Amino acid sequence: MNAPDTGFIGKAVERREDARFLTGRGQYTDDISLPGQTHGVFLRSPHAHARIRSVDTSAAAQAPGVLAVFTGEHFRGVGGLPCGWQINNVTDGSPMKEPRHPVLADGKVRYVGDRVALVVAESVEQAKAAAALIEVDYEVLPAVVDAAEAAGAQAVVHDEAADNTCYTWAIGDGEGTAAAIQGAAHVTRLSFRNNRLIPNAIEPRAANASYNAASDEYTLYVANQNPHVERLLMCAFVLGIPEHKMRVVAPDVGGGFGSKIFLYGEETALVWASKQVGRPIKWTAERAEAFLADAHGRDHVTEAELAMDKDGKFLALRVHTTANLGAYLSTFSTAVPTILYATLLAGQYATPKIHCTVKAVFTNTAPVDAYRGAGRPEASYLIERIVETAAKEMKLDPAEIRRRNYIRSFPYATPVGLTYDTGDYEATLNRAIELADVKGFAARRAASEAKGLKRGLGYSAYIEACGIAPSSIAGALGARAGLFEAGEVRVHPTGKVTVFTGSHSHGQGHETTFAQVVADRLGIPMEDVSIEHGDTGKTLFGMGTYGSRSLAVGGTAIVKALDKVIAKGKKIAAHLMEAADTDVVFEGGQFKVAGTDKAVPFAQVSLTAYVPHNFPHDKLEPGLNENAFYDPSNFTYPAGTYVCEVEVDPATGVVRVERMTACDDFGNVINPMIVEGQVHGGLAQGIGQALLEHGVYDKESGQLLTGSFMDYAMPRADDLPSFTVETAKGTPCTHNPLGVKGCGEAGAIGAPAAVINAICDALGVQDVPMPASPFTVWKAARGQA
């Protein structure tokens, strides 16, 4: 019989979870129906800003099938939804303005889609019909939706922030940066907007909450990326439920992209109401609700200046950004335009002086929070657009100006607070140029010109900080929670293994990748490893999945637990082989006495661990079950170069992405197929932002004008080319045992600038706003702003 394949690191193993997804056997929150199931529907505000004079629910309460109707008055005794990151003002160190974020609107609505009432009925149809009977008397107020106009606007979103400013924050050397800019040979200036995006995961948000009166316990099934954090925030800050009395289960989740990290009012209201009604309540968002009420992403207004010497060497970068936070502070909203954005403004370049000021403002729009990349796409877009523009102004090749300014010595402490541990940026640039056949671009451009079309080439050399950590630094920067991860390895008597992880999988393929790590480490078949996640009743307290942290942080926690398993296994094996445990080594699934032919397999040791009379139980506890928590010492820093080639029809403004090449350094790669899939998805979203997607509100009424797929354009298959993707041999991360870096957000971070740079190159203009719609490009081709 052939020995089982136990070398799994670096292999393109097919995703184990796909079988159930492709055959319709996945179980999502909406698939769960509990005994006595009822349904909830939320009445939402049709106004962007209004006082609630009165709410009459009498007709709704008497409607067929209705069990209860709740409004903001019912929730006055509970806390508001918390923000997880405190930012202080640069001027005086005072904390940000933090207005109450009510579970249901109380006295005022602040954006179209704000939650006004919850109707609970026997069926969704009955709840909808009853919600239509609720009469709300609104006093409509002026609204402000544009971040650039929010500070000092007539419309005041919260009385606590009279000028609509939440905070003004800064990082870097302001005086040194100003002096360098004043004395520079050349300064490139660029003003732009980073367009608002609406996440639109394939599965909308959903929740199903129940209360058990016999045990005084709650259970919440929810489409969420971090169930332990969901439970902590809801119990400790809002509802006052003892944490051990609540179980949160995030079953199969159909994508999140950040939008399912946060604690929302909908599931919070359902948990509270389930006790009042005495029956479980389910709510699943309709797509129209998702457009209105899911946390949106991006929405920055930025001015930037890049100073250079006469040879194109970067001297200083100065940035001022106004960030739209929406109507309320969401869970991580305040960290996105500060800690996750401005700290990345060095990019891949050794710029000596950097200074960034961020003004964060409230508007009458949906809350804005983390969306795939979360601050890193905004930073990368700024850097790579202004670098490419500088190259044109200095009459330098875009690749050459990057080479002149790359960081080449590591570790490297940036002027904005981060320390890059490793990297080789020129290697990914050179490989991307080769893969993109830049040498052949001139001939392809000539062929396009012969057809009356314009062809352009654009670069983007991104870097990101992943694996959000460490807790000590994050805490000093305002984080109100730790950023560690937990893992438990439970070895059964037969040598089979169950792993419990605090990370959560919602498309990343953890059930495969984590199993590869465990099987490779223990020298056992992958079939002998199962991965459990998403249930606070089973797993250790973990921080969940976001910021490309799962393998670097969650995977490392599992590895540390495995190390403990192996260490104990060596002691048991030493007894079985009558040797000193210091002489025992573990390799290939066997414990061996070094220098001899003595060996016992892993399964024999695991069985012995559960038969105490077979080993010195006075010195060792029975069992083979270990756990570990891991708090990283630094971020991981994946980086890469993207090259985009577009063809533009100047007569119509239509842009076609002809080629997209991505060369990434993700350190060591566990499963290259899964990594490539992550990059593909990110590229699609990045191209979508550059060309198509834009959340737009009417400035007068505050209505969301892009509230369906009729108006909010998502990228389709025919909008995308066949991607050329390669993972470089890479520079392994120096501070985690796997040597891995994050990969899930890279495509969305690097792609937008590459696309816009290519369009600008094709048209010979300085800037084209995102999204580069046909009308926008048509105007740019004619020299119109």
Side-chain angles (χ1 to χ4, degrees):
M1 180 181 294
N2 294 328
D5 186 357
T6 55
F8 297 104
I9 300 299
K11 290 191 175 180
V13 178
E14 291 186 1
R15 294 184 3 149
R16 296 163 24 148
E17 47 270 78
D18 284 351
R20 70 175 186 273
F21 295 147
L22 293 173
T23 57
R25 290 180 290 157
Q27 186 177 58
Y28 300 89
T29 299
D30 189 62
D31 295 325
I32 296 167
S33 186
L34 302 173
Q37 186 71 66
T38 69
H39 299 269
V41 165
F42 289 90
L43 177 70
R44 298 184 181 276
S45 170
H47 303 293
H49 198 197
R51 286 191 182 89
I52 301 174
R53 291 191 178 121
S54 64
V55 182
D56 185 352
T57 63
S58 56
Q62 298 301 315
V66 172
L67 301 172
V69 181
F70 303 103
T71 66
E73 291 184 2
H74 294 94
F75 288 87
R76 287 177 181 170
V78 306
L81 304 178
C83 177
W85 208 294
Q86 179 178 308
I87 299 297
N88 295 328
N89 284 286
V90 64
T91 50
D92 58 7
S94 61
M96 64 191 185
K97 297 293 192 298
E98 195 168 0
R100 176 180 167 85
H101 186 176
V103 176
L104 295 181
D106 187 9
K108 207 177 187 188
V109 291
R110 292 180 170 86
Y111 66 100
V112 175
D114 208 351
R115 299 170 297 274
V116 175
L118 166 63
V119 179
V120 182
E122 298 287 355
S123 70
V124 174
E125 293 75 16
Q126 289 172 328
K128 282 185 179 180
L133 299 175
I134 298 174
E135 295 184 3
V136 185
D137 183 10
Y138 293 104
E139 177 192 345
V140 178
L141 302 171
V144 60
V145 299
D146 190 334
E149 300 172 0
Q154 178 188 0
V156 177
V157 183
H158 296 280
D159 293 341
E160 299 93 324
D163 66 348
N164 292 325
T165 300
C166 178
Y167 58 78
T168 300
W169 176 90
I171 192 171
D173 180 356
E175 292 184 1
T177 300
I181 291 173
Q182 186 174 5
H186 182 86
V187 179
T188 293
R189 294 179 171 86
L190 200 61
S191 300
F192 59 90
R193 288 176 181 257
N194 204 291
N195 43 320
R196 177 180 284 242
L197 302 178
I198 302 175
N200 281 306
I202 193 169
E203 178 207 20
R205 286 192 293 123
N208 194 344
S210 65
Y211 173 71
N212 185 327
S215 61
D216 190 30
E217 292 179 333
Y218 299 81
T219 300
L220 171 65
Y221 295 91
V222 62
N224 182 269
Q225 297 176 219
N226 47 357
H228 277 284
V229 176
E230 171 98 353
R231 182 179 69 169
L232 173 64
L233 295 179
M234 189 185 296
C235 290
F237 296 96
V238 188
L239 298 182
I241 299 170
E243 196 174 1
H244 69 289
K245 289 291 187 179
M246 184 170 173
R247 177 188 176 201
V248 175
V249 182
D252 289 329
V253 174
F257 311 116
S259 68
K260 293 173 183 172
I261 299 172
F262 324 120
L263 177 65
Y264 287 94
E266 286 86 357
E267 60 259 31
T268 307
L270 261 60
V271 169
W272 181 89
S274 68
K275 182 175 182 178
Q276 316 307 313
V277 174
R279 291 169 61 184
I281 311 170
K282 184 197 296 188
W283 165 78
T284 301
E286 296 185 347
R287 187 58 64 179
E289 284 185 287
F291 272 99
L292 291 173
D294 286 5
H296 294 179
R298 317 287 194 254
D299 204 348
H300 285 191
V301 181
T302 294
E303 296 177 354
E305 301 167 278
L306 178 63
M308 292 160 282
D309 67 13
K310 62 181 178 60
D311 298 317
K313 191 78 171 177
F314 301 162
L315 304 175
L317 175 69
R318 182 164 60 193
V319 176
H320 184 277
T321 292
T322 301
N324 195 338
L325 296 177
Y328 300 102
L329 298 184
S330 181
T331 307
F332 292 118
S333 59
T334 52
V336 174
T338 52
I339 308 305
L340 300 180
Y341 163 66
T343 58
L344 268 297
L345 288 175
Q348 298 184 2
Y349 310 110
T351 308
K353 298 292 182 182
I354 301 174
H355 185 259
C356 177
T357 302
V358 177
K359 180 188 287 289
V361 295
F362 294 109
T363 64
N364 296 114
T365 64
V368 179
D369 209 319
Y371 173 68
R372 197 169 192 170
R376 283 72 56 86
E378 296 93 315
S380 184
Y381 185 79
L382 183 161
I383 299 161
E384 291 308 295
R385 283 290 297 115
I386 203 166
V387 166
E388 195 100 348
T389 304
K392 304 293 184 185
E393 292 178 357
M394 297 288 285
K395 295 181 171 49
L396 289 171
D397 179 81
E400 176 57 28
I401 198 171
R402 289 176 169 86
R403 289 192 179 98
R404 292 184 186 186
N405 288 282
Y406 276 148
I407 297 163
R408 298 181 183 278
S409 178
F410 296 90
Y412 176 82
T414 76
V416 279
L418 298 182
T419 299
Y420 302 165
D421 62 329
T422 185
D424 188 347
Y425 308 138
E426 189 159 11
T428 55
L429 172 69
N430 292 340
R431 183 58 178 153
I433 288 172
E434 182 181 354
L435 291 169
D437 185 25
V438 172
K439 288 182 179 179
F441 172 70
R444 295 191 294 274
R445 170 175 267 179
S448 294
E449 293 282 356
K451 297 184 291 183
L453 304 175
K454 302 287 186 180
R455 185 174 284 257
L457 189 76
Y459 292 85
S460 177
Y462 79 92
I463 189 170
E464 58 168 321
C466 298
I468 310 302
S471 295
S472 58
I473 294 176
L477 295 173
R480 290 168 167 169
L483 293 168
F484 55 84
E485 196 47 84
E488 178 183 356
V489 176
R490 186 177 300 173
V491 181
H492 304 287
T494 57
K496 314 303 181 185
V497 178
T498 302
V499 175
F500 299 88
T501 174
S503 300
H504 185 274
S505 181
H506 40 277
Q508 294 88 346
H510 294 171
E511 293 174 35
T512 303
T513 305
F514 286 175
Q516 286 180 253
V517 171
V518 174
D520 189 90
R521 201 83 166 186
L522 295 181
I524 61 177
M526 275 186 66
E527 294 75 17
D528 290 357
V529 181
S530 64
I531 308 295
E532 297 285 340
H533 62 91
D535 187 342
T536 63
K538 294 181 178 179
T539 62
L540 296 170
F541 189 101
M543 298 305 296
T545 293
Y546 46 85
S548 301
R549 73 193 303 270
S550 294
L551 191 58
V553 187
T556 298
I558 292 170
V559 168
K560 287 186 172 294
L562 288 170
D563 289 344
K564 293 181 181 180
V565 166
I566 293 169
K568 184 174 181 179
K570 286 181 178 179
K571 294 179 180 179
I572 297 172
H575 175 75
L576 293 176
M577 295 184 289
E578 299 180 337
D581 59 350
T582 54
D583 293 332
V584 176
V585 296
F586 181 70
E587 56 187 27
Q590 290 189 319
F591 293 91
K592 302 176 181 179
V593 178
T596 75
D597 60 356
K598 289 184 176 181
V600 291
F602 178 76
Q604 183 179 345
V605 169
S606 66
L607 180 60
T608 303
Y610 290 92
V611 186
H613 61 268
N614 284 342
F615 69 90
H617 53 277
D618 57 325
K619 297 180 180 179
L620 290 174
E621 294 179 352
L624 200 52
N625 183 40
E626 300 287 350
N627 62 62
F629 288 80
Y630 174 63
D631 194 347
S633 60
N634 195 358
F635 295 94
T636 69
Y637 298 99
T641 299
Y642 293 175
V643 181
C644 179
E645 195 168 315
V646 301
E647 194 172 61
V648 180
D649 185 343
T652 63
V654 171
V655 176
R656 181 170 181 81
V657 179
E658 291 288 329
R659 295 177 175 217
M660 177 60 84
T661 301
C663 184
D664 301 282
D665 176 1
F666 296 133
N668 293 335
V669 172
I670 305 301
N671 188 317
M673 180 184 67
I674 287 178
V675 167
E676 185 172 341
Q678 288 287 309
V679 175
H680 276 226
L683 290 173
Q685 284 178 282
I687 293 170
Q689 176 175 11
L691 297 180
L692 299 161
E693 299 183 49
H694 195 188
V696 180
Y697 286 89
D698 179 76
K699 285 194 173 186
E700 297 298 322
S701 67
Q703 295 292 325
L704 181 63
L705 301 179
T706 53
S708 76
F709 290 128
M710 293 290 289
D711 302 296
Y712 187 90
M714 294 277 280
R716 304 181 307 182
D718 59 355
D719 294 313
L720 307 171
S722 179
F723 301 134
T724 300
V725 173
E726 182 173 292
T727 302
K729 186 177 180 181
T731 54
C733 175
T734 61
H735 55 80
N736 69 59
L738 292 168
V740 297
K741 306 176 185 181
C743 72
E745 298 165 298
I749 292 170
V755 174
I756 298 300
N757 284 339
I759 296 171
C760 291
D761 181 57
L763 299 180
V765 299
Q766 186 190 57
D767 190 36
V768 176
M770 290 195 296
S773 66
F775 183 51
T776 298
V777 174
W778 182 86
K779 288 193 296 181
R782 283 152 182 76
Q784 301 175 26

